[in-house]
Amino acid sequence: MRLALPHPHRDDWRIAVGGLLGGVLLWALGIHPRLGTDPLVLWHAPWAPLVPLAVTAACEPLRRGRPRLGLLIGTAALVLDTVTLGSVVTIVLYTDLMYAAVLYGTPAAARRIPWVTGMLTVLGGVVPAALWRDPQALLIGVGVGVVAFGPAATGALVRNHRDAAEAARLRAEQTALLAEMDRTQAVTAERARMARELHDMVANHLSAIAIHSTAALSIGDPRTSGEALAVIRENSVAGLAEMRRLIGILRDGSGDLEPAASPTLDGLDALVDGARANGLDVTLDAGHGTVPTPVGLAAYRIVQESLTNAMKHAARGCVHIVLRQAGGTLGIRVTSPYRPGDTPRAPGSGAGLAGMRERAALLGGTFEAGPGDALWTVYATLPLSEGEPA
């Protein structure tokens, strides 16, 4: 299996070619950092400086894809350059390899290289000065610092700024993502609330219309049919009024229509009168005081939906509504006659029970509904404190 090497960046090729041509030009002009009489020069061949120059230039294409390998080969070439007349371009190319090793290398290499080059800079200045007792020996450390520590520190600084910018970009993306998620959740919650309000406001009237229209079609008595049609008209007008209120709130957010569209427990008497007009035998026992607006709205809608279900499913008999306020909670109990196997007088989808359960859960309350002892019982408790919603 062949190891695929990363394709060198075109700028790296330009650095390599430009450095090589510049070094060859300086060599042709005879410009070298060291003299032939320098005791460190061990390789006196005129073309000797071109060898480390070519090797260092060949390492430039590796500066991004294989920065550590390029630095190791470049270090060997720099050592070789010290025993020749040398080339300034070789040193410059090596500083770029050191810079790239910190900037593009692994995080571990980016942490270690500045420390290692810093220690070499200190040792390169202190040790020769201590051994030779010559202050000029400190220039060795200065040279090591310029060639190695300076590029490494610059690379570390640039890398830190780049990482900080990347972290800031990621945080901005995460913030935008969270904001979009919050917006989506808010839209979903608002759509669910609107669906509950629309169902609770209209289902009662439409159920009454469906039941009485069936009666009007099946009974041949003109008087009875006229009474049924009157009830149908009354519920149609009330349903249209409720729809207008909801549409008005959606179109105008000024809040002027909010009281009309948000009933309270004070409207239970009118709700019960409407249920009696639709043919239900209803009793109301409301023992409660002042309750918060959200609790009052939820209680009203639970009673309204319970009456709608009783109109569609209950057997003949009395529907009892009891509200009690005690211990920081408002208890709601609605019982209606229940006979298993009866055919509903109007179709249902089960959304009413789900909506009542959601209203209770949003306020941190409880909800139960089910048959027992020939009665269908709806029981809900709503905390009067508006905190800690579920």
Side-chain angles (χ1 to χ4, degrees):
M1 182 177 178
R2 298 180 60 185
L3 180 62
L5 294 177
H7 187 69
H9 195 275
R10 58 183 180 182
D11 291 340
D12 300 337
W13 285 112
R14 292 171 180 170
I15 294 174
V17 173
L20 181 61
L21 294 179
V24 171
L25 178 61
L26 293 180
W27 173 80
L29 296 176
I31 301 175
H32 303 287
R34 286 179 290 275
L35 300 176
T37 57
D38 194 322
L40 294 177
V41 178
L42 303 178
W43 193 0
H44 293 276
W47 50 267
L50 297 179
V51 176
L53 172 65
V55 173
T56 307
C59 292
E60 285 295 333
L62 303 176
R63 64 192 300 272
R64 298 174 195 261
R66 291 289 186 271
R68 185 167 57 179
L69 177 61
L71 179 62
L72 291 176
I73 299 176
T75 302
L78 182 66
V79 173
L80 179 63
D81 182 76
T82 58
V83 299
T84 67
L85 294 177
S87 174
V88 175
V89 178
T90 301
I91 299 175
V92 173
L93 291 177
Y94 179 79
T95 60
D96 181 67
L97 294 176
M98 180 67 72
Y99 167 82
V102 177
L103 181 60
Y104 301 113
T106 62
R111 290 190 302 267
R112 294 171 184 170
I113 292 177
W115 282 100
V116 173
T117 55
M119 292 177 59
L120 292 177
T121 299
V122 175
L123 294 177
V126 174
V127 173
L131 292 178
W132 299 339
R133 305 291 181 178
D134 187 355
Q136 292 186 354
L138 294 173
L139 296 178
I140 298 177
V142 174
V144 175
V146 171
V147 175
F149 177 71
T154 304
L157 182 62
V158 174
R159 181 174 182 136
N160 289 338
H161 282 291
R162 187 190 65 179
D163 293 344
E166 180 66 15
R169 185 186 65 82
L170 292 176
R171 284 195 299 270
E173 290 181 355
Q174 292 174 355
T175 301
L177 179 61
L178 291 175
E180 180 63 21
M181 292 175 60
D182 290 342
R183 188 193 68 82
T184 302
Q185 292 176 357
V187 171
T188 302
E190 183 63 17
R191 290 178 63 181
R193 187 187 71 83
M194 291 169 55
R196 286 194 302 268
E197 290 295 321
L198 182 61
H199 177 274
D200 293 344
M201 287 191 300
V202 180
N204 184 277
H205 302 295
L206 292 183
S207 298
I209 292 172
I211 293 171
H212 287 83
S213 61
T214 302
L217 291 173
S218 60
I219 298 176
D221 185 1
R223 180 180 178 182
T224 305
S225 298
E227 293 176 354
L229 291 175
V231 174
I232 291 174
R233 182 184 183 282
E234 180 182 348
N235 282 275
S236 299
V237 172
L240 288 174
E242 296 284 3
M243 287 291 294
R244 290 192 187 99
R245 292 190 187 103
L246 180 60
I247 294 174
I249 292 175
L250 295 178
R251 288 180 174 175
D252 182 12
S254 62
D256 296 338
L257 300 175
E258 189 66 24
S262 298
T264 65
L265 293 182
D266 295 335
L268 287 181
D269 291 331
L271 181 64
V272 170
D273 291 340
R276 289 169 181 163
N278 290 330
L280 285 180
D281 182 9
V282 185
T283 63
L284 174 62
D285 182 5
H288 63 83
T290 303
V291 301
T293 300
V295 176
L297 174 61
Y300 181 94
R301 293 304 188 194
I302 290 174
V303 173
Q304 182 185 45
E305 183 58 30
S306 299
L307 292 176
T308 301
N309 289 340
M311 187 184 306
K312 293 189 294 185
H313 303 285
R316 290 189 178 274
C318 185
V319 178
H320 297 281
I321 304 171
V322 180
L323 281 79
R324 288 290 184 268
Q325 181 176 338
T329 60
L330 177 65
I332 307 164
R333 182 184 295 273
V334 182
T335 58
S336 57
Y338 173 74
R339 188 166 55 200
D342 284 353
T343 302
R345 291 183 290 274
S349 62
L353 292 177
M356 290 189 285
R357 182 174 290 105
E358 289 175 359
R359 288 185 182 277
L362 286 173
L363 295 176
T366 61
F367 175 83
E368 297 177 3
D373 297 331
L375 294 174
W376 181 275
T377 302
V378 173
Y379 180 70
T381 59
L382 305 177
L384 298 180
S385 60
E386 301 181 42
E388 300 298 332

